[in-house]
Amino acid sequence: MTDSSAYLVSGFRTPVGKYGGALSSVRPDDLMSLTIQKTVEEAGLDPAAVDEVIIGNANGAGEENRNVARLAWLLAGYPDTVPGITVNRLCASGMSAIALATAMVESGQADIVLAGGVESMSRAPWVMEKPTTAFARPGEVFDTSIGWRFVNKKFTGMDKMTYSMPETAEEVAKVFNISREDADAFAARSHERALAAIADGKFDAEIVPVEVKDRKGNVTIVDTDEGPRPGSTPEVLSKLRPVTKLGDVTTAGNSSSLNDGASAVIVASQKGIEKLG
């Protein structure tokens, strides 16, 4: 019987840029395209052999709209015979893309799938509600980088349905009995480990450097994650104020940040691996 397992063959990512940081001038479809190219080339893979491209994206409101999986693949210069789909499960979108790729391979629907995720919160647009009647003034305006927009009125009276991400974090902390001290300690340890890994070069092999041009045409190579902050000790983090009125656990220091970046992996079947080497 043929092995129906799914295998990870190749994987790369851009550095993770912070909101308004080093990657803020780069379009998300370009970040994804660059990552796709590196992942395919390093695997020695003929792009035409890819059965499907599946990319996760949470925002979908700006330059990554209209199926960024397909557009990034084409921007890489690869064949238009390869289909692509974009999936949205908000924060878990990239993981869902890989899970879908795995399911396709395990079920025999595909032998080679490129999966991953992309986001540029720096370039997330402001959006304006369109008037529903002629000559009416525009409606509400939303920043798409965080939270809901154009919420269905049926949700507004429902408990917890319109929580922001920080408010949801407070709810999660209550459900799982996570204290402020627990959250700060975890955050401090995370920063410490990330900084140590960067210093030791442990991320170097998986990162695709990104060329960034300024307005004068000068080029800077971005190859290091911007998120980890030196000095993020539990003592320092404990002095930060909570960011919601629902509790005292969630702060700017122990929350996940808004970021820019892209990642990709190749998920393959045993048949695909044997055929393509």
Side-chain angles (χ1 to χ4, degrees), residues 209-272:
V210 180
E211 290 188 2
V212 178
K213 291 184 179 180
D214 63 20
R215 294 179 180 179
K216 296 182 180 180
N218 299 315
V219 176
T220 300
I221 303 298
V222 180
D223 59 6
T224 306
D225 297 330
E226 290 189 291
R229 296 187 299 270
S232 295
T233 64
E235 293 73 26
V236 170
L237 296 176
S238 68
K239 297 176 182 178
L240 298 177
R241 295 179 180 179
V243 293
T244 82
K245 296 180 180 179
L246 298 182
D248 60 1
V249 175
T250 308
T251 72
N254 61 31
S255 300
S256 57
S257 54
L258 297 175
N259 298 113
D260 309 328
S263 62
V265 295
I266 291 173
V267 184
S269 67
Q270 181 191 38
K271 176 184 174 183

Coordinates of all heavy atoms in Angstrom, one line a residue, residues 209-272:
P209 N 16.0 37.1 2.9 CA 16.2 38.5 3.0 C 15.3 39.3 2.1 O 15.1 38.9 0.9 CB 17.7 38.6 2.7 CG 18.3 37.3 2.9 CD 17.2 36.3 2.5
V210 N 14.9 40.4 2.5 CA 14.0 41.3 1.7 C 14.7 42.6 1.3 O 15.2 43.3 2.2 CB 12.7 41.6 2.4 CG1 11.8 42.5 1.5 CG2 12.0 40.3 2.8
E211 N 14.8 42.9 0.1 CA 15.4 44.2 -0.4 C 14.3 45.3 -0.2 O 13.2 45.2 -0.8 CB 15.8 44.2 -1.8 CG 17.1 43.3 -2.0 CD 17.6 43.5 -3.4 OE1 17.1 44.3 -4.2 OE2 18.6 42.8 -3.7
V212 N 14.6 46.4 0.5 CA 13.7 47.5 0.7 C 14.3 48.7 0.2 O 15.4 49.1 0.5 CB 13.3 47.6 2.2 CG1 12.4 48.8 2.4 CG2 12.7 46.3 2.7
K213 N 13.6 49.4 -0.7 CA 14.0 50.7 -1.3 C 13.4 51.9 -0.6 O 12.2 51.8 -0.3 CB 13.8 50.7 -2.8 CG 14.6 49.8 -3.6 CD 14.3 50.0 -5.1 CE 15.1 49.0 -5.9 NZ 14.8 49.2 -7.4
D214 N 14.2 52.9 -0.3 CA 13.6 54.1 0.2 C 13.2 55.0 -0.9 O 13.3 54.7 -2.1 CB 14.5 54.8 1.2 CG 15.8 55.3 0.6 OD1 15.9 55.4 -0.7 OD2 16.8 55.5 1.3
R215 N 12.7 56.2 -0.6 CA 12.2 57.1 -1.7 C 13.3 57.6 -2.6 O 13.1 58.1 -3.7 CB 11.5 58.3 -1.0 CG 10.3 57.9 -0.3 CD 9.6 59.2 0.4 NE 8.4 58.8 1.1 CZ 7.6 59.7 1.8 NH1 8.0 60.9 1.9 NH2 6.5 59.2 2.4
K216 N 14.6 57.6 -2.1 CA 15.7 58.0 -2.9 C 16.3 56.8 -3.7 O 17.3 57.0 -4.5 CB 16.8 58.6 -2.0 CG 16.3 59.9 -1.3 CD 17.5 60.4 -0.5 CE 17.0 61.7 0.3 NZ 18.1 62.3 1.1
G217 N 15.7 55.7 -3.6 CA 16.2 54.5 -4.3 C 17.3 53.7 -3.6 O 17.8 52.8 -4.2
N218 N 17.6 54.1 -2.4 CA 18.7 53.4 -1.7 C 18.1 52.0 -1.2 O 16.9 52.0 -0.8 CB 19.1 54.2 -0.5 CG 19.7 55.5 -0.9 OD1 20.6 55.6 -1.8 ND2 19.4 56.6 -0.2
V219 N 18.9 51.0 -1.3 CA 18.4 49.7 -0.9 C 19.0 49.2 0.4 O 20.2 49.3 0.7 CB 18.8 48.6 -2.0 CG1 18.4 47.2 -1.6 CG2 18.2 49.0 -3.4
T220 N 18.1 48.7 1.3 CA 18.5 48.1 2.5 C 18.0 46.6 2.5 O 16.9 46.3 2.1 CB 17.8 48.8 3.7 OG1 18.2 50.2 3.7 CG2 18.1 48.2 5.0
I221 N 18.9 45.8 3.0 CA 18.5 44.4 3.1 C 18.0 44.1 4.6 O 18.7 44.3 5.5 CB 19.8 43.5 2.9 CG1 20.4 43.8 1.5 CG2 19.4 42.0 3.0 CD1 19.4 43.5 0.3
V222 N 16.8 43.6 4.6 CA 16.2 43.3 5.9 C 16.2 41.8 6.1 O 15.6 41.0 5.3 CB 14.7 43.8 6.0 CG1 14.1 43.4 7.3 CG2 14.6 45.3 5.7
D223 N 16.9 41.3 7.1 CA 17.1 39.9 7.3 C 16.9 39.4 8.7 O 17.3 38.3 9.1 CB 18.4 39.4 6.7 CG 19.6 40.1 7.4 OD1 19.4 40.9 8.4 OD2 20.8 39.9 7.0
T224 N 16.4 40.3 9.6 CA 16.3 40.0 11.0 C 14.9 40.4 11.6 O 14.4 41.4 11.2 CB 17.4 40.7 11.8 OG1 18.7 40.4 11.3 CG2 17.3 40.3 13.3
D225 N 14.3 39.5 12.4 CA 13.0 39.8 13.0 C 13.1 41.1 13.9 O 14.1 41.3 14.6 CB 12.6 38.7 13.9 CG 12.3 37.4 13.1 OD1 12.0 37.5 11.9 OD2 12.5 36.3 13.6
E226 N 12.1 41.9 13.8 CA 12.1 43.2 14.5 C 11.4 43.1 15.8 O 11.5 44.0 16.7 CB 11.4 44.3 13.7 CG 12.2 44.7 12.5 CD 11.5 45.9 11.8 OE1 10.4 45.8 11.3 OE2 12.1 47.0 11.9
G227 N 10.6 42.0 16.0 CA 9.7 42.0 17.2 C 10.3 41.9 18.6 O 10.0 42.5 19.5
P228 N 11.3 40.9 18.7 CA 11.9 40.7 20.0 C 12.6 42.0 20.6 O 13.4 42.6 19.9 CB 13.0 39.6 19.8 CG 12.5 38.9 18.5 CD 11.8 40.0 17.7
R229 N 12.2 42.3 21.8 CA 12.7 43.5 22.5 C 13.6 43.2 23.6 O 13.2 42.6 24.6 CB 11.5 44.4 23.0 CG 10.6 44.9 21.9 CD 9.5 45.8 22.5 NE 8.7 45.1 23.6 CZ 7.6 44.5 23.3 NH1 7.1 44.4 22.1 NH2 6.9 43.9 24.3
P230 N 14.9 43.7 23.5 CA 15.8 43.6 24.7 C 15.3 44.3 25.9 O 14.6 45.3 25.8 CB 17.1 44.2 24.2 CG 17.0 44.2 22.7 CD 15.5 44.4 22.4
G231 N 15.5 43.7 27.1 CA 15.1 44.3 28.3 C 13.7 44.1 28.7 O 13.1 44.7 29.6
S232 N 13.0 43.1 28.0 CA 11.6 42.8 28.3 C 11.6 41.8 29.5 O 11.3 40.6 29.3 CB 10.9 42.2 27.1 OG 10.8 43.2 26.1
T233 N 11.9 42.3 30.7 CA 11.9 41.4 31.9 C 10.5 41.5 32.5 O 9.7 42.4 32.3 CB 12.9 41.9 32.9 OG1 12.5 43.2 33.3 CG2 14.3 42.0 32.3
P234 N 10.2 40.5 33.4 CA 8.9 40.5 34.1 C 8.8 41.8 34.9 O 7.6 42.3 35.0 CB 9.0 39.3 35.0 CG 9.9 38.3 34.3 CD 11.0 39.2 33.6
E235 N 9.9 42.3 35.4 CA 9.8 43.5 36.2 C 9.4 44.7 35.4 O 8.5 45.5 35.8 CB 11.1 43.8 36.9 CG 11.6 42.8 37.9 CD 12.0 41.5 37.4 OE1 12.4 41.4 36.2 OE2 11.8 40.4 38.1
V236 N 10.0 44.8 34.2 CA 9.6 45.9 33.3 C 8.2 45.8 32.8 O 7.4 46.7 32.7 CB 10.6 45.9 32.1 CG1 10.1 46.9 31.0 CG2 12.0 46.3 32.5
L237 N 7.8 44.6 32.4 CA 6.5 44.3 31.8 C 5.4 44.6 32.9 O 4.3 45.0 32.5 CB 6.4 42.9 31.3 CG 7.3 42.6 30.1 CD1 7.1 41.1 29.7 CD2 7.0 43.4 28.9
S238 N 5.7 44.3 34.1 CA 4.7 44.5 35.2 C 4.3 45.9 35.4 O 3.2 46.2 36.0 CB 5.3 43.9 36.5 OG 6.3 44.7 37.0
K239 N 5.1 46.8 34.9 CA 4.8 48.3 35.1 C 3.8 48.8 34.0 O 3.4 50.0 34.1 CB 6.0 49.1 35.1 CG 7.0 48.7 36.2 CD 8.3 49.5 36.2 CE 9.2 49.1 37.3 NZ 10.5 49.8 37.2
L240 N 3.5 48.0 33.0 CA 2.7 48.5 31.9 C 1.2 48.4 32.3 O 0.8 47.5 33.0 CB 2.9 47.6 30.6 CG 4.3 47.7 30.1 CD1 4.4 46.8 28.9 CD2 4.7 49.1 29.7
R241 N 0.4 49.3 31.8 CA -1.0 49.4 32.1 C -1.8 48.4 31.2 O -1.4 48.2 30.0 CB -1.5 50.8 31.8 CG -0.9 51.9 32.7 CD -1.5 53.2 32.4 NE -1.0 54.3 33.3 CZ -1.3 55.6 33.2 NH1 -2.2 55.9 32.2 NH2 -0.8 56.4 34.0
P242 N -2.9 47.9 31.7 CA -3.8 47.0 30.9 C -4.3 47.8 29.8 O -4.5 49.1 29.8 CB -4.9 46.6 31.9 CG -4.2 46.8 33.2 CD -3.3 47.9 33.1
V243 N -4.7 47.1 28.7 CA -5.2 47.8 27.5 C -6.7 47.7 27.3 O -7.2 48.3 26.4 CB -4.5 47.3 26.2 CG1 -3.0 47.7 26.2 CG2 -4.7 45.8 26.1
T244 N -7.4 47.0 28.2 CA -8.8 47.0 28.2 C -9.4 47.2 29.6 O -8.7 47.1 30.6 CB -9.4 45.6 27.6 OG1 -9.4 44.7 28.7 CG2 -8.5 45.1 26.5
K245 N -10.7 47.5 29.6 CA -11.4 47.7 30.9 C -11.9 46.4 31.5 O -12.6 46.4 32.5 CB -12.5 48.7 30.7 CG -12.0 50.1 30.4 CD -13.1 51.1 30.2 CE -12.6 52.4 29.8 NZ -13.7 53.4 29.6
L246 N -11.7 45.3 30.7 CA -12.3 44.0 31.1 C -11.4 43.2 32.1 O -11.9 42.2 32.6 CB -12.6 43.1 29.9 CG -13.6 43.7 28.9 CD1 -13.8 42.7 27.7 CD2 -14.9 44.0 29.5
G247 N -10.2 43.7 32.3 CA -9.3 43.0 33.2 C -8.0 43.6 33.2 O -7.7 44.7 32.6
D248 N -7.0 43.0 34.0 CA -5.7 43.6 34.1 C -4.6 42.7 33.6 O -3.4 42.9 33.9 CB -5.5 43.9 35.6 CG -5.5 42.7 36.5 OD1 -5.7 41.6 36.0 OD2 -5.3 42.8 37.7
V249 N -4.9 41.7 32.8 CA -3.9 40.8 32.3 C -3.2 41.3 31.0 O -2.0 41.3 30.9 CB -4.5 39.4 32.1 CG1 -3.5 38.5 31.4 CG2 -5.0 38.8 33.4
T250 N -4.0 41.7 30.1 CA -3.5 42.0 28.7 C -2.9 43.4 28.7 O -3.5 44.4 29.0 CB -4.6 41.9 27.7 OG1 -5.2 40.7 27.8 CG2 -4.0 42.1 26.3
T251 N -1.6 43.5 28.3 CA -0.9 44.8 28.1 C -0.2 44.8 26.7 O -0.1 43.7 26.1 CB 0.2 45.0 29.2 OG1 1.3 44.1 28.9 CG2 -0.4 44.7 30.6
A252 N 0.3 45.9 26.4 CA 1.1 46.0 25.1 C 2.4 45.2 25.2 O 2.9 44.8 24.2 CB 1.5 47.5 24.9
G253 N 2.8 44.9 26.4 CA 4.1 44.1 26.5 C 3.9 42.6 26.5 O 4.9 41.9 26.1
N254 N 2.7 42.1 26.8 CA 2.6 40.6 26.8 C 1.6 40.2 25.7 O 1.2 39.0 25.6 CB 2.1 40.1 28.1 CG 0.8 40.6 28.6 OD1 -0.1 41.0 27.8 ND2 0.7 40.8 29.9
S255 N 1.2 41.1 24.8 CA 0.3 40.7 23.7 C 1.1 40.4 22.4 O 2.2 40.9 22.3 CB -0.6 41.9 23.4 OG -1.4 42.2 24.5
S256 N 0.5 39.7 21.5 CA 1.1 39.5 20.2 C 1.0 40.8 19.5 O 0.1 41.6 19.7 CB 0.3 38.4 19.4 OG -1.0 38.7 19.3
S257 N 2.0 41.1 18.7 CA 2.1 42.4 18.0 C 1.5 42.3 16.6 O 1.2 41.2 16.1 CB 3.6 42.8 17.9 OG 4.4 41.8 17.3
L258 N 1.3 43.5 16.0 CA 0.9 43.6 14.6 C 2.2 43.5 13.8 O 3.1 44.3 14.0 CB 0.2 44.9 14.4 CG -1.1 45.1 15.1 CD1 -1.7 46.5 14.9 CD2 -2.1 44.1 14.7
N259 N 2.2 42.6 12.8 CA 3.4 42.4 12.0 C 3.2 42.3 10.5 O 2.1 42.3 10.0 CB 4.0 41.0 12.5 CG 4.4 41.0 13.9 OD1 3.7 40.3 14.7 ND2 5.3 41.8 14.3
D260 N 4.3 42.3 9.8 CA 4.4 42.2 8.4 C 5.3 41.0 8.1 O 6.4 40.9 8.7 CB 5.0 43.4 7.7 CG 4.3 44.7 8.1 OD1 3.1 44.7 8.4 OD2 5.0 45.8 8.2
G261 N 4.9 40.1 7.2 CA 5.7 39.0 6.8 C 5.0 37.9 6.0 O 3.8 38.0 5.8
A262 N 5.8 37.0 5.5 CA 5.2 35.9 4.7 C 6.0 34.6 5.0 O 7.2 34.7 5.4 CB 5.2 36.2 3.2
S263 N 5.3 33.5 4.8 CA 6.0 32.2 5.0 C 5.4 31.2 4.0 O 4.3 31.3 3.6 CB 5.8 31.7 6.4 OG 4.5 31.5 6.7
A264 N 6.2 30.1 3.7 CA 5.7 29.1 2.8 C 6.4 27.8 3.1 O 7.6 27.7 3.5 CB 6.0 29.5 1.4
V265 N 5.7 26.7 2.9 CA 6.2 25.3 3.0 C 5.7 24.5 1.8 O 4.7 24.8 1.2 CB 5.9 24.6 4.3 CG1 6.5 25.3 5.5 CG2 4.4 24.5 4.4
I266 N 6.4 23.5 1.5 CA 6.0 22.5 0.4 C 5.5 21.3 1.2 O 6.3 20.7 1.9 CB 7.0 22.2 -0.6 CG1 7.3 23.4 -1.5 CG2 6.6 21.0 -1.5 CD1 8.5 23.3 -2.4
V267 N 4.3 20.9 1.0 CA 3.7 19.7 1.5 C 3.6 18.6 0.4 O 3.0 18.9 -0.6 CB 2.3 19.9 2.2 CG1 1.8 18.6 2.8 CG2 2.4 21.1 3.2
A268 N 4.2 17.5 0.6 CA 4.3 16.5 -0.5 C 3.9 15.1 -0.1 O 4.0 14.7 1.1 CB 5.7 16.5 -1.1
S269 N 3.5 14.3 -1.0 CA 3.2 12.9 -0.8 C 4.4 12.1 -1.0 O 5.4 12.6 -1.6 CB 2.1 12.5 -1.8 OG 2.6 12.5 -3.1
Q270 N 4.4 10.8 -0.6 CA 5.5 9.9 -0.9 C 5.7 9.8 -2.4 O 6.8 9.8 -2.9 CB 5.2 8.6 -0.2 CG 6.3 7.6 -0.5 CD 5.9 6.2 -0.1 OE1 4.8 5.7 -0.3 NE2 6.8 5.4 0.5
K271 N 4.6 9.7 -3.1 CA 4.7 9.6 -4.6 C 5.4 10.8 -5.2 O 6.2 10.7 -6.0 CB 3.3 9.4 -5.1 CG 3.2 9.4 -6.6 CD 1.8 9.3 -7.1 CE 1.7 9.5 -8.6 NZ 0.3 9.5 -9.1
G272 N 5.0 12.0 -4.7 CA 5.6 13.2 -5.2 C 7.1 13.3 -4.9 O 7.9 13.7 -5.7

